[in-house]
Amino acid sequence: MAAIIGVAIVGKVGGAALPVLILRRNWREATVIGLGMNGRGAVELIVAKAVFLMSYGLLQQGTITEPLLTQSRFTILILMVFITTFITPLSHRGRHPAPMRRHRPGFLPTLA
């Protein structure tokens, strides 16, 4: 399971960071975008559920003899989605620059 999660993280981060680097941005921006895309697990959930249901439908018809996606593999994929989604906000800590605060006279109301 750790291998699946590792491949998922590397694939998502690398797949999102590579275009950023091609556009000549820096590694920090590429990493932030890649890590941000890591938590996008909706597609995996939809594909896993569709394959799981299709697999058992084909089994009942006798088209295939073994399921395309077993219950244990389906569970691993669902756990991978939850773990990578949970990791995303934690991986962003300290990667975003501090918000810029400019003092403009008259911008904030005075207490007097």
Side-chain angles (χ1 to χ4, degrees), residues 39 57 76 78:
I76 290 171
I78 299 304

Side-chain angles (χ1 to χ4, degrees), residues 28 91-97:
R28 182 178 179 162
S91 65
H92 276 285
R93 287 188 178 181
R95 295 203 183 271
H96 290 293

Side-chain angles (χ1 to χ4, degrees), residues 45-67:
L45 286 173
I46 293 168
V47 171
K49 184 66 174 179
V51 170
F52 187 73
L53 293 175
M54 182 180 69
S55 175
Y56 282 96
L58 292 172
L59 274 173
Q60 289 176 349
Q61 293 174 358
T63 307
I64 58 175
T65 58
E66 293 182 24

